Short mmCIF file of all heavy atoms in Angstrom, two decimals:
data_model
loop_
_atom_site.label_atom_id
_atom_site.label_comp_id
_atom_site.label_asym_id
_atom_site.label_seq_id
_atom_site.Cartn_x
_atom_site.Cartn_y
_atom_site.Cartn_z
N SER O 227 115.03 111.73 133.15
CA SER O 227 115.38 112.48 134.34
C SER O 227 115.45 113.97 134.06
O SER O 227 115.05 114.79 134.86
CB SER O 227 116.73 111.99 134.86
OG SER O 227 116.65 110.60 135.11
N THR O 233 112.18 122.74 130.94
CA THR O 233 110.89 122.91 130.27
C THR O 233 110.91 122.26 128.90
O THR O 233 109.90 122.03 128.31
CB THR O 233 110.56 124.39 130.11
OG1 THR O 233 111.66 125.02 129.43
CG2 THR O 233 110.33 125.06 131.44
N LYS O 266 108.59 126.40 121.40
CA LYS O 266 108.44 125.72 122.69
C LYS O 266 109.42 124.56 122.82
O LYS O 266 110.13 124.44 123.83
CB LYS O 266 107.00 125.21 122.76
CG LYS O 266 106.53 124.59 124.03
CD LYS O 266 105.00 124.58 124.08
CE LYS O 266 104.34 123.74 123.00
NZ LYS O 266 104.29 122.30 123.27
N GLU O 267 109.47 123.71 121.81
CA GLU O 267 110.25 122.48 121.91
C GLU O 267 111.75 122.72 121.75
O GLU O 267 112.55 121.85 122.09
CB GLU O 267 109.76 121.46 120.88
CG GLU O 267 108.31 121.03 121.10
CD GLU O 267 108.06 120.43 122.47
OE1 GLU O 267 108.73 119.46 122.82
OE2 GLU O 267 107.20 120.95 123.20
N ASN O 549 96.78 121.00 111.91
CA ASN O 549 97.42 121.03 113.23
C ASN O 549 98.30 119.78 113.42
O ASN O 549 99.41 119.85 113.95
CB ASN O 549 96.31 121.11 114.29
CG ASN O 549 96.80 121.03 115.71
OD1 ASN O 549 96.78 119.95 116.30
ND2 ASN O 549 97.25 122.14 116.27
N LYS O 553 102.64 119.54 113.56
CA LYS O 553 103.46 118.96 114.62
C LYS O 553 104.56 118.07 114.06
O LYS O 553 105.66 118.00 114.61
CB LYS O 553 102.56 118.20 115.60
CG LYS O 553 101.74 119.17 116.43
CD LYS O 553 100.58 118.52 117.14
CE LYS O 553 99.79 119.59 117.89
NZ LYS O 553 98.56 119.04 118.47
N ARG O 567 116.80 115.04 118.60
CA ARG O 567 116.20 113.76 118.24
C ARG O 567 114.92 113.92 117.39
O ARG O 567 114.07 114.76 117.69
CB ARG O 567 115.86 113.01 119.53
CG ARG O 567 115.35 111.61 119.34
CD ARG O 567 115.13 110.97 120.71
NE ARG O 567 114.44 109.71 120.60
CZ ARG O 567 113.93 109.06 121.64
NH1 ARG O 567 114.06 109.56 122.85
NH2 ARG O 567 113.30 107.91 121.47
N PRO O 570 109.34 109.19 114.29
CA PRO O 570 108.56 108.87 113.09
C PRO O 570 107.28 109.73 113.01
O PRO O 570 106.66 110.02 114.03
CB PRO O 570 108.20 107.40 113.28
CG PRO O 570 109.15 106.88 114.30
CD PRO O 570 109.49 108.04 115.19
N ARG O 572 103.51 110.74 112.57
CA ARG O 572 102.18 110.16 112.74
C ARG O 572 101.18 111.28 112.56
O ARG O 572 101.43 112.40 113.01
CB ARG O 572 101.97 109.59 114.14
CG ARG O 572 102.92 108.49 114.52
CD ARG O 572 102.49 107.92 115.86
NE ARG O 572 103.50 107.00 116.35
CZ ARG O 572 103.25 106.09 117.29
NH1 ARG O 572 102.06 106.00 117.83
NH2 ARG O 572 104.20 105.28 117.71
N TYR O 573 100.08 110.97 111.97
CA TYR O 573 99.06 111.99 111.72
C TYR O 573 97.70 111.48 112.16
O TYR O 573 97.46 110.27 112.22
CB TYR O 573 98.98 112.32 110.23
CG TYR O 573 100.27 112.75 109.59
CD1 TYR O 573 101.13 111.81 108.99
CD2 TYR O 573 100.63 114.08 109.54
CE1 TYR O 573 102.31 112.21 108.38
CE2 TYR O 573 101.81 114.49 108.93
CZ TYR O 573 102.63 113.55 108.35
OH TYR O 573 103.80 113.94 107.73
N ALA O 591 90.29 109.48 111.34
CA ALA O 591 91.23 108.47 110.87
C ALA O 591 92.62 108.73 111.43
O ALA O 591 92.93 109.84 111.88
CB ALA O 591 91.29 108.46 109.34
N ALA O 592 93.45 107.69 111.39
CA ALA O 592 94.87 107.81 111.70
C ALA O 592 95.64 107.57 110.41
O ALA O 592 95.17 106.86 109.51
CB ALA O 592 95.26 106.78 112.76
N TYR O 593 96.81 108.19 110.33
CA TYR O 593 97.59 108.13 109.09
C TYR O 593 99.07 108.02 109.41
O TYR O 593 99.54 108.52 110.44
CB TYR O 593 97.40 109.42 108.26
CG TYR O 593 95.97 109.84 108.03
CD1 TYR O 593 95.29 110.58 109.01
CD2 TYR O 593 95.30 109.52 106.85
CE1 TYR O 593 93.98 110.97 108.81
CE2 TYR O 593 93.99 109.92 106.65
CZ TYR O 593 93.34 110.65 107.64
OH TYR O 593 92.03 111.05 107.45
N SER O 604 93.75 103.61 109.75
CA SER O 604 92.51 103.17 110.39
C SER O 604 91.54 104.33 110.32
O SER O 604 91.93 105.46 110.00
CB SER O 604 92.76 102.80 111.86
OG SER O 604 93.16 103.95 112.59
N LYS O 622 79.06 117.84 122.43
CA LYS O 622 79.87 118.32 123.57
C LYS O 622 81.36 118.09 123.30
O LYS O 622 82.19 118.93 123.62
CB LYS O 622 79.46 117.58 124.85
CG LYS O 622 78.11 117.99 125.40
CD LYS O 622 77.85 117.20 126.68
CE LYS O 622 76.55 117.59 127.34
NZ LYS O 622 76.27 116.73 128.50
N GLU O 623 81.65 116.95 122.73
CA GLU O 623 83.04 116.61 122.42
C GLU O 623 83.61 117.61 121.41
O GLU O 623 84.76 118.04 121.53
CB GLU O 623 83.06 115.19 121.84
CG GLU O 623 84.42 114.58 121.62
CD GLU O 623 84.25 113.17 121.07
OE1 GLU O 623 84.00 113.02 119.85
OE2 GLU O 623 84.35 112.21 121.85
N ASP O 626 84.50 120.82 123.16
CA ASP O 626 85.75 120.64 123.92
C ASP O 626 86.96 120.62 122.98
O ASP O 626 88.01 121.17 123.28
CB ASP O 626 85.73 119.32 124.72
CG ASP O 626 84.84 119.41 125.95
OD1 ASP O 626 84.36 120.51 126.27
OD2 ASP O 626 84.63 118.35 126.58
N GLY O 630 90.22 123.06 122.82
CA GLY O 630 91.56 122.49 122.87
C GLY O 630 92.41 122.92 121.70
O GLY O 630 93.56 123.36 121.87
N ILE O 631 91.87 122.87 120.51
CA ILE O 631 92.71 123.13 119.34
C ILE O 631 93.04 124.62 119.22
O ILE O 631 94.15 124.97 118.83
CB ILE O 631 92.10 122.56 118.03
CG1 ILE O 631 93.18 122.58 116.93
CG2 ILE O 631 90.87 123.29 117.59
CD1 ILE O 631 92.82 121.82 115.68
N ALA O 633 93.49 126.64 121.65
CA ALA O 633 94.54 126.87 122.64
C ALA O 633 95.87 126.31 122.12
O ALA O 633 96.93 126.90 122.35
CB ALA O 633 94.17 126.20 123.96
N VAL I 190 125.07 110.66 130.81
CA VAL I 190 124.35 110.25 132.01
C VAL I 190 125.08 110.71 133.27
O VAL I 190 124.49 111.28 134.18
CB VAL I 190 124.16 108.72 132.03
CG1 VAL I 190 123.57 108.27 133.35
CG2 VAL I 190 123.28 108.30 130.87
N PHE I 195 122.87 111.26 136.86
CA PHE I 195 121.83 110.25 136.98
C PHE I 195 122.42 108.85 137.09
O PHE I 195 121.86 107.88 136.63
CB PHE I 195 120.88 110.32 135.78
CG PHE I 195 120.25 111.67 135.66
CD1 PHE I 195 120.48 112.47 134.56
CD2 PHE I 195 119.47 112.16 136.69
CE1 PHE I 195 119.92 113.71 134.48
CE2 PHE I 195 118.90 113.41 136.61
CZ PHE I 195 119.12 114.19 135.50
N ALA I 199 120.68 105.17 136.40
CA ALA I 199 121.18 104.30 135.35
C ALA I 199 121.57 102.94 135.92
O ALA I 199 121.25 101.91 135.35
CB ALA I 199 122.40 104.95 134.68
N GLU I 202 118.69 100.53 136.54
CA GLU I 202 117.86 100.04 135.46
C GLU I 202 118.13 98.58 135.14
O GLU I 202 119.26 98.16 135.05
CB GLU I 202 118.07 100.87 134.20
CG GLU I 202 117.02 100.54 133.16
CD GLU I 202 117.42 101.01 131.78
OE1 GLU I 202 118.63 101.18 131.53
OE2 GLU I 202 116.53 101.17 130.97
N ASP I 210 110.33 106.25 127.94
CA ASP I 210 111.02 107.19 127.05
C ASP I 210 110.24 108.51 127.04
O ASP I 210 109.33 108.71 126.25
CB ASP I 210 111.08 106.57 125.65
CG ASP I 210 111.86 107.42 124.67
OD1 ASP I 210 112.17 108.59 125.00
OD2 ASP I 210 112.16 106.92 123.58
N GLU I 212 111.09 111.49 126.20
CA GLU I 212 111.19 112.29 124.96
C GLU I 212 110.14 111.84 123.96
O GLU I 212 109.45 112.65 123.33
CB GLU I 212 112.58 112.14 124.33
CG GLU I 212 113.66 112.90 125.07
CD GLU I 212 114.98 112.87 124.30
OE1 GLU I 212 115.11 112.10 123.33
OE2 GLU I 212 115.88 113.61 124.70
N ARG I 215 106.74 112.91 125.14
CA ARG I 215 106.48 114.33 124.89
C ARG I 215 106.08 114.57 123.43
O ARG I 215 105.17 115.32 123.14
CB ARG I 215 107.72 115.16 125.24
CG ARG I 215 107.50 116.64 125.14
CD ARG I 215 108.73 117.41 125.57
NE ARG I 215 108.58 118.82 125.35
CZ ARG I 215 108.42 119.72 126.33
NH1 ARG I 215 108.39 119.34 127.57
NH2 ARG I 215 108.29 121.00 126.03
N TYR I 216 106.79 113.90 122.52
CA TYR I 216 106.43 114.04 121.10
C TYR I 216 105.02 113.49 120.85
O TYR I 216 104.18 114.16 120.24
CB TYR I 216 107.44 113.32 120.21
CG TYR I 216 106.96 113.17 118.79
CD1 TYR I 216 106.70 114.29 117.99
CD2 TYR I 216 106.72 111.92 118.24
CE1 TYR I 216 106.23 114.16 116.69
CE2 TYR I 216 106.26 111.78 116.93
CZ TYR I 216 106.02 112.90 116.16
OH TYR I 216 105.55 112.77 114.89
N SER I 219 101.80 115.49 121.73
CA SER I 219 101.30 116.61 120.92
C SER I 219 100.00 116.21 120.22
O SER I 219 99.16 117.06 119.93
CB SER I 219 102.35 117.07 119.91
OG SER I 219 102.61 116.07 118.95
N VAL I 222 97.26 116.61 122.90
CA VAL I 222 97.03 117.99 123.33
C VAL I 222 96.01 118.70 122.42
O VAL I 222 95.29 119.59 122.87
CB VAL I 222 98.39 118.75 123.35
CG1 VAL I 222 98.20 120.23 123.51
CG2 VAL I 222 99.25 118.21 124.47
N THR I 223 95.94 118.29 121.17
CA THR I 223 94.97 118.89 120.25
C THR I 223 93.58 118.95 120.89
O THR I 223 92.90 119.96 120.79
CB THR I 223 94.88 118.07 118.94
OG1 THR I 223 96.18 117.97 118.38
CG2 THR I 223 93.92 118.70 117.95
N ASP I 232 84.99 117.95 131.67
CA ASP I 232 84.63 118.04 130.26
C ASP I 232 84.40 116.67 129.65
O ASP I 232 84.85 115.65 130.18
CB ASP I 232 85.74 118.75 129.48
CG ASP I 232 85.81 120.25 129.78
OD1 ASP I 232 84.89 120.75 130.45
OD2 ASP I 232 86.79 120.88 129.36
N THR I 233 83.71 116.66 128.50
CA THR I 233 83.55 115.42 127.75
C THR I 233 84.92 114.87 127.36
O THR I 233 85.17 113.68 127.41
CB THR I 233 82.72 115.68 126.48
OG1 THR I 233 81.49 116.28 126.86
CG2 THR I 233 82.44 114.39 125.73
N ILE I 234 85.80 115.79 126.96
CA ILE I 234 87.21 115.43 126.76
C ILE I 234 87.93 115.83 128.05
O ILE I 234 88.06 117.01 128.35
CB ILE I 234 87.81 116.19 125.56
CG1 ILE I 234 87.09 115.78 124.26
CG2 ILE I 234 89.31 115.91 125.44
CD1 ILE I 234 87.49 116.59 123.04
N ASN I 259 84.63 105.15 122.79
CA ASN I 259 84.73 106.30 121.88
C ASN I 259 85.65 106.02 120.67
O ASN I 259 86.84 105.75 120.84
CB ASN I 259 85.25 107.52 122.65
CG ASN I 259 85.09 108.79 121.85
OD1 ASN I 259 85.46 108.85 120.69
ND2 ASN I 259 84.53 109.81 122.48
N ASN I 264 90.70 105.11 117.79
CA ASN I 264 91.53 105.38 116.62
C ASN I 264 92.94 105.83 117.02
O ASN I 264 93.94 105.39 116.45
CB ASN I 264 90.84 106.46 115.79
CG ASN I 264 91.40 106.60 114.40
OD1 ASN I 264 91.51 105.61 113.68
ND2 ASN I 264 91.79 107.80 114.04
N ARG I 268 97.05 102.54 117.49
CA ARG I 268 98.39 102.35 116.95
C ARG I 268 99.49 102.54 118.00
O ARG I 268 100.66 102.56 117.66
CB ARG I 268 98.64 103.28 115.77
CG ARG I 268 98.61 104.74 116.13
CD ARG I 268 98.88 105.58 114.91
NE ARG I 268 98.62 106.98 115.15
CZ ARG I 268 98.61 107.89 114.18
NH1 ARG I 268 98.81 107.54 112.93
NH2 ARG I 268 98.37 109.15 114.46
N LEU I 269 99.10 102.72 119.25
CA LEU I 269 100.10 102.91 120.30
C LEU I 269 100.60 101.56 120.80
O LEU I 269 99.80 100.70 121.18
CB LEU I 269 99.50 103.71 121.47
CG LEU I 269 99.07 105.15 121.16
CD1 LEU I 269 98.40 105.78 122.38
CD2 LEU I 269 100.27 106.00 120.72
N ASP I 273 104.90 102.99 123.73
CA ASP I 273 104.32 104.32 123.48
C ASP I 273 103.44 104.75 124.65
O ASP I 273 103.50 105.90 125.12
CB ASP I 273 103.43 104.31 122.21
CG ASP I 273 104.22 104.12 120.92
OD1 ASP I 273 105.43 104.38 120.92
OD2 ASP I 273 103.59 103.73 119.92
N GLN I 287 100.83 122.95 128.76
CA GLN I 287 101.71 123.79 127.95
C GLN I 287 101.15 125.20 127.72
O GLN I 287 101.90 126.13 127.56
CB GLN I 287 101.96 123.12 126.59
CG GLN I 287 102.71 121.81 126.71
CD GLN I 287 104.13 122.01 127.20
OE1 GLN I 287 104.86 122.82 126.65
NE2 GLN I 287 104.52 121.29 128.23
N GLN I 288 99.83 125.32 127.62
CA GLN I 288 99.29 126.65 127.32
C GLN I 288 99.44 127.58 128.50
O GLN I 288 99.32 127.16 129.63
CB GLN I 288 97.81 126.57 126.94
CG GLN I 288 97.60 126.23 125.48
CD GLN I 288 97.56 124.75 125.25
OE1 GLN I 288 97.00 124.03 126.05
NE2 GLN I 288 98.15 124.27 124.17
#
Side-chain angles (χ1 to χ4, degrees):
Chain O
S227 303
T233 55
K266 186 161 63 81
E267 298 302 304
N549 175 263
K553 288 165 182 173
R567 186 177 171 191
R572 300 187 188 199
Y573 304 91
Y593 310 83
S604 65
K622 288 181 177 175
E623 188 179 80
D626 285 352
I631 193 169
Chain I
V190 173
F195 302 117
E202 191 197 24
D210 184 348
E212 286 187 349
R215 186 177 174 108
Y216 167 62
S219 66
V222 169
T223 304
D232 288 350
T233 305
I234 297 173
N259 192 312
N264 194 52
R268 64 179 169 189
L269 296 176
D273 291 340
Q287 296 293 309
Q288 276 88 39

